[in-house]
Amino acid sequence: DVKVTQSSRYLVKRTGEKVFLECVQDMDHENMFWYRQDPGLGLRLIYFSYDVKMKEKGDIPEGYSVSREKKERFSLILESASTNQTSMYLCASSSHLGEQVSYEQYFGPGTRLTVT
Amino acid sequence: AQTVTQSQPEMSVQEAETVTLSCTYDTSENNYYLFWYKQPPSRQMILVIRQEAYKQQNATENRFSVNFQKAAKSFSLKISDSQLGDTAMYFCAFMKHGVYNTGTASKLTFGTGTRLQVTL
């Protein structure tokens, strides 16, 4: 079974702090994603990576950065946390089949971040 | 850009009954995938069912089936014989069909979700 783990289930940080959210997958997936989930807004893509050291902006990248130094690990960084970044953060991974992109994303349990 | 709309924020169904969750989408693409994901309370999001746009036959997975209307851009989920364990948020999602190394081809666009409560 695919396993996607996230470093914390709950996190409380103060405004202005630098925050690291870590995600690890154990299935050798090429693609990894970071979403935030807010009530009434669904899931919105922050950043994704389709290879080591490769990254692309999603729909809401402002205030975030990412790092992918190893294939299994994808980190989300809040350089200076703000209260409007209080949210549930979900990590996901997927693989590809030859030249065709895969279709199923496997999700981690989520990190509920509160910025005070 | 693609958009996915789920117009039912909340729904309720009695155990053993059938319920249909609605989803519409907007795209100019001809080849794509559609998904329904389930997020149970305090548990991980999992894939329920997927549909390839080029397939006319509606996908089914046990008690879950879809009604895919490509021309109408509609993709509803029917849950038959509802069980208490079906209580969850359900998200409809869209993915373009493309080539891996373009990067953007693997992105999912989600709807806002429907919270389904199954009652006794």
Side-chain angles (χ1 to χ4, degrees):
Chain A
D1 280 350
V2 176
K3 192 169 184 181
V4 180
T5 57
Q6 295 183 229
S7 50
S8 306
R9 290 300 302 270
Y10 300 94
L11 208 54
V12 180
K13 295 292 182 180
R14 295 200 178 274
T15 301
E17 279 193 81
K18 191 169 186 176
V19 181
F20 291 87
L21 302 182
E22 303 284 334
C23 175
V24 177
Q25 50 93 3
D26 65 358
M27 284 300 293
D28 201 36
H29 283 173
E30 292 75 21
N31 306 319
M32 296 188 75
F33 308 84
W34 274 108
Y35 297 91
R36 65 177 281 176
Q37 181 179 3
D38 300 289
L41 296 177
L43 278 74
R44 293 178 292 167
L45 182 64
I46 304 171
Y47 265 98
F48 67 103
S49 168
Y50 55 93
D51 204 347
V52 176
K53 297 190 185 294
M54 304 301 289
K55 60 186 179 184
E56 286 199 21
K57 293 179 180 179
D59 300 315
I60 52 165
E62 296 78 18
Y64 303 93
S65 62
V66 291
S67 172
R68 193 163 180 207
E69 297 296 318
K70 293 185 177 182
K71 192 175 185 180
E72 67 271 18
R73 188 180 297 271
F74 192 37
S75 303
L76 180 69
I77 303 155
L78 287 67
E79 294 289 344
S80 177
S82 63
T83 55
N84 64 11
Q85 292 178 310
T86 291
S87 186
M88 171 71 86
Y89 290 87
L90 297 177
C91 176
S93 72
S94 70
S95 183
H96 69 277
L97 302 170
E99 291 299 310
Q100 299 298 317
V101 67
S102 178
Y103 34 71
E104 182 172 358
Q105 291 188 14
Y106 296 86
F107 285 83
T111 295
R112 187 167 293 282
L113 173 67
T114 302
V115 183
T116 61
Chain B
Q2 285 70 231
T3 59
V4 178
T5 302
Q6 293 180 252
S7 58
Q8 304 153 316
E10 294 184 355
M11 295 190 72
S12 181
V13 63
Q14 285 193 320
E15 201 176 20
E17 297 295 309
T18 295
V19 64
T20 299
L21 280 58
S22 301
C23 173
T24 58
Y25 59 94
D26 189 23
T27 184
S28 58
E29 303 287 330
N30 191 47
N31 292 325
Y32 49 87
Y33 295 103
L34 294 164
F35 308 86
W36 280 97
Y37 279 87
K38 170 185 176 180
Q39 186 181 40
S42 302
R43 293 178 60 188
Q44 286 171 243
M45 184 107 64
I46 57 173
L47 178 67
V48 175
I49 198 167
R50 75 171 185 271
Q51 174 83 40
E52 291 89 343
Y54 63 87
K55 290 186 177 179
Q56 291 189 341
Q57 187 172 6
N58 288 326
T60 62
E61 287 288 343
N62 301 314
R63 297 182 295 107
F64 298 87
S65 62
V66 298
N67 183 5
F68 173 49
Q69 303 286 333
K70 190 173 183 180
K73 296 180 181 175
S74 171
F75 182 61
S76 61
L77 175 69
K78 185 171 82 171
I79 306 174
S80 303
D81 186 25
S82 296
Q83 300 175 0
L84 295 177
D86 296 332
T87 292
M89 279 290 287
Y90 287 82
F91 291 96
C92 179
F94 172 100
M95 179 188 288
K96 288 196 305 184
H97 184 282
V99 178
Y100 154 71
N101 59 6
T102 63
T104 57
S106 58
K107 289 172 58 176
L108 276 174
T109 300
F110 284 88
T112 52
T114 296
R115 185 176 300 279
L116 177 67
Q117 180 71 47
V118 181
T119 60
L120 290 169

